[in-house]
Amino acid sequence: MSKTRRAVYLSAVARYSDMIVQFVSVMVIARLLTPEEIGIFSISIAVIALAQTLREFGLGAYVVQERELDRARIRSAFGVALVLAWTIALLIVVASGPVADFYDRDGIRDVLLILALTFLISPLGLPAQAMLIRELQFGKLYLVQLVTSSVQVAAGITLALLGFSYLSMAWASLVGGLAGIAVLSVLKPDLVFMMPSLKEWRRIAAFGGFSSGANLVGTIGVNMAELIIGRMLGFSAVAYYSRAMGLLNIFRMTVQATVLSVALPAFADQYRAGIDMRPDYGRAAALMTGLAWPFYGMLALLAQPVIRLLYGRQWDEAVVIAQILCVGGAVMAVVILGGPLLTAIGQVRANLWREIAIQVPRAVLTLVAALYSLEAVAAAQVAAYLVALIITQVYTRRFIGFGVAELVSFTWRSLALTAVTVAAASVPLVLLDPVSADIASDALIPWRSLLFPGLFGTCGWLAGAFLLDHPIRREIMVAGVGIARWMRVARI
């Protein structure tokens, strides 16, 4: 098994484990807190996401892609991380009051003050985590992530049951961060407990300035919708949008995050070796769309029962929003690989301009759409993703010669695979329509409206992958062989 494939599988195990843990949290928290309470936390976390991008300053990516990395440069990255994170924590404290006044919710200030504490501890784990990624040590990263998310979820649910309301999720973030750093201190104590330095700060700033700029612009675009909705359409509206995005995050937290976590070090490794990147970039796009497009197709088809199962009937208004966003998620599955590619080949300046060209139209579209309705905001995201696709193709063609023709040649099978998958999933819905069209009983949802379509859709996806000779077919076979080998060893 290749080093990259093994890294992907280990990262996938980590992401799916995290998804299971997060599912438990979402299902419980959605029933313990009101849309208003979740809306307050959603606005706060959107603000924090912008600060987190500034805090990271592309330092993790710098450690991963640096060709001549030594301990002095790692210490310098650590020193820059400390200065940035602690400065930003102070700025969050200062800005918490004005932000709360802007949205007319005192709770936002309280959440921001608690989350500011996470910025004081987060730099401690940055060097160790970045080195684990550079070395493709995703088994150890899995342990860190599993402990962090498990502790965070347990703390969040416990505090919510004790009546901490939206503050429960803020305190849980702090506790989970401390748990993750504790694990990293055991795995790589020399990188957690080391003296910081600023000796190489100029070299780091030259990379981090453009890298963090691109990440910041991208993060603003991602969180812009929730910030605008909260101000113009209300906190309940932002909660419905957040829950709809939560469904899309099922894929983003697992498959997409798995691919992206490996894409940067894998692309960087190829670039350092002087290998033509077009075949592997195209293959990555084929694998991503071969998973993303069928997933979003089935999610759009089954949005109502999924939302009722995870969140309850009180969140039905999020159904149409989720279905619209699924179209945008499918488009974004192609766009998402552009950032890691440009970063891996050292084109961080170009990646910054790419993000600006993508996010400025997105902000304008979102602002205009918010004058009408929540559904219009969701549709605006789809339009913005289409713009992002065009812009990203311009850059991939410029730097590695990967244009529209190459994209179509690698992804047309994914489109056909999606049609087969959705058609198969629709069969039981048609057969069961007289019984469950109204979905009158919550007890029927998992069995009649999710289980059978899910099984049919999965079988259709597997059959389609082999019949169409999709690139994901090889990955299925390799995974099957690995599972069979593991089962034989387990029996022995």
Side-chain angles (χ1 to χ4, degrees):
M1 181 181 295
S2 71
K3 180 174 63 174
T4 300
R5 180 176 283 117
R6 177 179 174 82
V8 169
Y9 290 158
L10 287 173
S11 183
V13 171
R15 300 296 177 176
Y16 280 105
S17 300
D18 185 62
M19 181 188 71
I20 293 172
V21 174
Q22 294 298 331
F23 263 179
V24 174
S25 175
V26 166
M27 294 177 70
V28 175
I29 294 294
R31 288 164 172 79
L32 293 176
L33 303 183
T34 66
E36 177 81 6
E37 290 173 313
I38 291 178
I40 289 174
F41 182 78
S42 297
I43 290 294
S44 303
I45 206 67
V47 174
I48 288 296
L50 305 181
Q52 285 178 331
T53 304
L54 286 173
R55 179 203 70 195
E56 291 166 0
F57 197 62
L59 297 173
Y62 167 78
V63 173
V64 171
Q65 65 83 47
E66 174 59 59
R67 289 190 173 188
E68 300 175 358
L69 187 67
D70 55 25
R71 188 167 182 83
R73 288 174 180 165
I74 296 175
R75 288 179 58 203
S76 295
F78 181 40
V80 173
L82 285 174
V83 171
L84 283 173
W86 292 358
T87 301
I88 293 171
L90 179 60
L91 293 176
I92 292 173
V93 172
V94 173
S96 61
V99 173
D101 292 340
F102 180 77
Y103 287 100
D104 195 25
R105 290 294 188 281
D106 291 339
I108 292 179
R109 181 188 63 248
D110 299 332
V111 174
L112 290 176
L113 290 175
I114 295 171
L115 293 177
L117 297 175
T118 64
F119 283 70
L120 300 180
I121 64 169
S122 59
L124 301 177
L126 186 143
Q129 192 158 358
M131 283 302 297
L132 289 175
I133 295 173
R134 181 184 175 95
E135 297 166 358
L136 297 178
Q137 295 291 324
F138 285 91
K140 294 178 180 179
L141 284 168
Y142 165 52
L143 176 62
V144 175
Q145 184 175 331
L146 182 61
V147 171
T148 300
S149 58
S150 298
V151 171
Q152 181 174 337
V153 167
I157 293 175
T158 301
L159 292 172
L161 288 170
L162 293 175
F164 279 72
S165 186
Y166 45 79
L167 295 180
S168 60
M169 293 180 281
W171 285 115
S173 297
L174 178 61
V175 174
L178 288 169
I181 291 171
V183 177
L184 286 170
S185 68
V186 174
L187 296 176
K188 284 195 174 287
D190 59 316
L191 294 180
V192 175
F193 303 107
M194 70 176 179
M195 290 297 295
S197 170
L198 295 176
K199 182 179 179 180
E200 297 272 357
W201 73 269
R202 288 184 178 84
R203 182 183 182 93
I204 295 171
F207 177 92
F210 290 110
S211 180
S212 64
N215 291 336
L216 177 61
V217 173
T219 303
I220 290 173
V222 169
N223 292 280
M224 179 65 70
E226 292 187 4
L227 294 172
I228 292 174
I229 292 168
R231 178 63 177 175
M232 300 179 66
L233 298 176
F235 282 80
S236 293
V238 77
Y240 289 125
Y241 184 88
S242 176
R243 293 301 89 178
M245 285 297 296
L247 294 188
L248 274 68
N249 286 338
I250 294 172
F251 182 84
R252 292 176 177 175
M253 289 171 54
T254 52
V255 178
Q256 183 172 299
T258 297
V259 174
L260 292 181
S261 65
V262 179
L264 175 58
F267 287 157
D269 189 50
Q270 287 184 325
Y271 178 66
R272 288 192 293 263
I275 299 174
D276 181 6
M277 303 184 71
R278 285 177 296 179
D280 281 335
Y281 183 80
R283 179 176 173 78
L287 294 176
M288 179 71 86
T289 55
L291 293 166
W293 290 355
F295 172 84
Y296 287 126
M298 288 187 62
L299 182 58
L301 184 69
L302 304 172
Q304 185 183 57
V306 170
I307 284 177
R308 288 189 175 181
L309 176 66
L310 292 179
Y311 309 139
R313 285 177 174 267
Q314 69 270 29
W315 296 93
D316 275 358
E317 291 186 40
V319 172
V320 175
I321 308 304
Q323 291 172 328
I324 297 172
L325 291 174
C326 280
V327 180
V331 177
M332 201 60 185
V334 183
V335 177
I336 201 69
L337 290 169
L341 172 70
L342 294 176
T343 302
I345 63 177
Q347 295 294 336
V348 288
R349 184 193 297 265
N351 193 38
L352 171 59
W353 287 113
R354 182 187 75 98
E355 284 291 351
I356 292 174
I358 289 172
Q359 302 305 338
V360 170
R362 183 177 186 178
V364 174
L365 289 169
T366 303
L367 276 169
V368 174
L371 296 172
Y372 296 94
S373 67
L374 191 57
E375 291 79 6
V377 173
Q381 307 312 301
V382 178
Y385 291 148
L386 290 171
V387 172
L389 175 59
I390 295 171
I391 293 170
T392 298
Q393 284 306 115
V394 170
Y395 278 90
T396 56
R397 180 178 178 82
R398 174 184 173 187
F399 287 106
I400 66 169
F402 192 91
V404 175
E406 288 79 10
L407 179 64
V408 172
S409 69
F410 276 103
T411 60
W412 71 267
R413 287 184 176 85
S414 297
L415 186 61
L417 181 59
T418 303
V420 172
T421 303
V422 174
S426 300
V427 171
L429 292 179
V430 174
L431 296 177
L432 293 171
D433 186 65
V435 178
S436 58
D438 186 49
I439 315 183
S441 170
D442 282 335
L444 295 177
I445 291 175
W447 296 102
R448 290 180 175 170
S449 298
L450 283 180
L451 179 61
F452 295 128
L455 288 174
F456 274 62
T458 301
C459 291
W461 178 77
L462 288 170
F466 280 83
L467 290 174
L468 294 166
D469 195 26
H470 193 282
I472 206 167
R473 172 177 176 269
R474 171 175 169 77
E475 302 304 319
I476 295 172
M477 295 177 65
V478 171
V481 171
I483 292 172
R485 185 182 297 115
W486 177 81
M487 292 179 66
R488 287 198 299 271
V489 173
R491 283 198 299 267
I492 295 175

